[in-house]
């Protein structure tokens, strides 16, 4: 292992040079993967735009009943036509979502903490590969806690999931967690996203931050941006726009959709940014027109 002292600060990200090993496949870092992996990734990332709108409603896995998600059976089907991927737990998906929904599935597979804990960083692999395959999941989502007490366990969870997924061509999405004591800086996200990608994750879910283009350039697989806490709609659309303009290949938003007073219109406006190249201004105008119809 390299000496920690005297390290040079990385700075040459070549943000203006496209990823070199793209080949003919539209998903970053997946050109050398085999058919099954590419099929799942194509279910997630639209071959035309190269991007994805994920709707995250997996919050119950550690938050229990969450504002806006009190009734999964009502809110999720309402939003389904406007998003590409449903990110949820197996309990939510099996009970509340029809298997003929026609949507891609990002299955939450790590678990183990709750809002009752001060430290959320200790998780296990709660869903095995056989069940992910039974559910025809397009990827398995594992939380990673770089720099936290649970770092080792979470990298173990991630590695086990990737190893199992590779046996059956099911991609893994590494979710970069930030805790109350963990920084949300460009330095942290550069460290965490790259570690998770080098462990073999096929998709990274993380947060938007300063120098986002450099984080994207240094990460050899697609980044999707989490929404985070509820913002006013106009600000959330700006976050979505900046993420896509900065090189993210999608959004994985939860609260900024389901806690909006107009969740359907919010999902539609985000899809305009992600798939149709709308700016935040255009998407905000679209949103306002849609809610005032
Ligand atoms: C984190 O992995 C959570 O389970 C959610 O999926 C994530 O935080 C995205 O939801 P939100 O946009 O509400 O932060």
């Amino acid at each position: 292992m390299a000496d920690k002292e005297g390290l040079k600060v990385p700075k040459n990200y070549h943000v203006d040079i496209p990823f070199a090993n793209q080949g003919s496949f539209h998903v970053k870092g997946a050109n050398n993967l085999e058919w099954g992996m590419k099929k799942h990734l194509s279910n997630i990332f639209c071959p035309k735009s190269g991007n994805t709108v994920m709707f995250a409603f997996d919050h119950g896995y550690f938050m229990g009943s969450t504002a806006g998600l009190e009734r999964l059976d009502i809110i999720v089907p309402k939003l389904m036509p406007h998003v590409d991927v449903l990110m949820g737990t197996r309990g939510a998906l099996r009970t509340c979502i029809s298997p003929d929904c026609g949507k891609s599935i990002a299955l939450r597979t790590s678990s183990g903490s709750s809002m009752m804990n001060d430290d959320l960083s200790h998780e296990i692999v709660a869903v095995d590969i056989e069940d992910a395959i039974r559910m025809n999941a397009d990827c398995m989502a594992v939380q990673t806690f770089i720099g936290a007490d649970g770092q080792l366990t979470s990298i173990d969870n991630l590695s086990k999931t990737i190893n199992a997924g590779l046996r059956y061509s099911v991609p893994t999405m590494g979710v970069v967690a930030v805790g109350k004591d963990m920084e949300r800086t460009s330095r942290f996200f550069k460290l965490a996203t790259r570690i998770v990608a080098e462990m073999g994750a096929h998709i990274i879910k993380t947060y938007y931050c300063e120098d986002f283009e450099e984080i994207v350039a240094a990460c050899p697989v697609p980044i999707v941006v989490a929404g985070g806490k509820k913002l006013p709609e106009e600000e959330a659309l700006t976050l979505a726009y900046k993420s896509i303009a900065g090189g993210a290949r999608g959004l994985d938003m939860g609260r900024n959709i389901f806690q909006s007073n107009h969740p359907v219109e919010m999902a539609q406006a985000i899809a305009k940014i992600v798939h149709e190249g709308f700016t935040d201004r255009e998407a905000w105008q679209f949103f306002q027109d849609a809610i005032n119809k």
Side-chain angles (χ1 to χ4, degrees), residues 234 237-238 241 278-286 288:
E234 191 174 2
L237 292 173
T238 296
Y241 172 67
F278 274 37
T279 64
D280 47 350
R281 296 295 88 216
E282 291 167 333
W284 174 236
Q285 189 60 54
F286 169 88
Q288 287 176 302

Side-chain angles (χ1 to χ4, degrees), residues 56-59 61-62 87 108 143 175 205 207 226-229 252-256 258:
F57 56 92
D58 59 327
H59 303 60
Y61 100 92
F62 74 104
M87 181 183 179
R108 155 70 56 187
Q143 207 80 11
V175 182
K205 172 173 168 173
Y207 292 88
K229 69 173 192 226
D252 188 4
M253 274 191 168
R255 287 163 289 178
N256 278 294
F258 64 72

Side-chain angles (χ1 to χ4, degrees), residues 23 29 36 52 61 73 79 88 98 146 154 165 193 199 213 239 241 255:
T52 188
Y61 100 92
D73 57 317
L79 289 166
S98 175
I146 304 300
S154 73
T193 54
M199 290 298 101
E213 292 83 354
L239 169 70
Y241 172 67
R255 287 163 289 178

Side-chain angles (χ1 to χ4, degrees), residues 61-135:
Y61 100 92
F62 74 104
M63 293 171 80
S65 176
T66 307
L69 292 182
E70 294 88 344
R71 289 288 302 271
L72 293 167
D73 57 317
I74 297 174
I75 186 73
V76 182
K78 205 157 95 175
L79 289 166
M80 236 149 46
H82 314 291
V83 302
D84 305 302
V85 181
L86 303 179
M87 181 183 179
T89 60
R90 64 179 170 186
L93 290 162
R94 277 207 172 94
T95 55
C96 301
I97 309 304
S98 175
D100 65 2
C101 65
K103 294 291 154 181
S104 176
I105 299 296
L107 183 64
R108 155 70 56 187
T109 54
S110 68
S111 177
S113 57
S114 80
M115 295 304 274
M116 305 293 278
N117 304 124
D118 284 336
D119 183 351
L120 300 175
S121 72
H122 299 281
E123 291 197 339
I124 55 164
V125 177
V127 178
D128 62 27
I129 184 68
E130 286 79 10
D131 207 31
I133 293 168
R134 270 194 290 275
M135 297 199 68

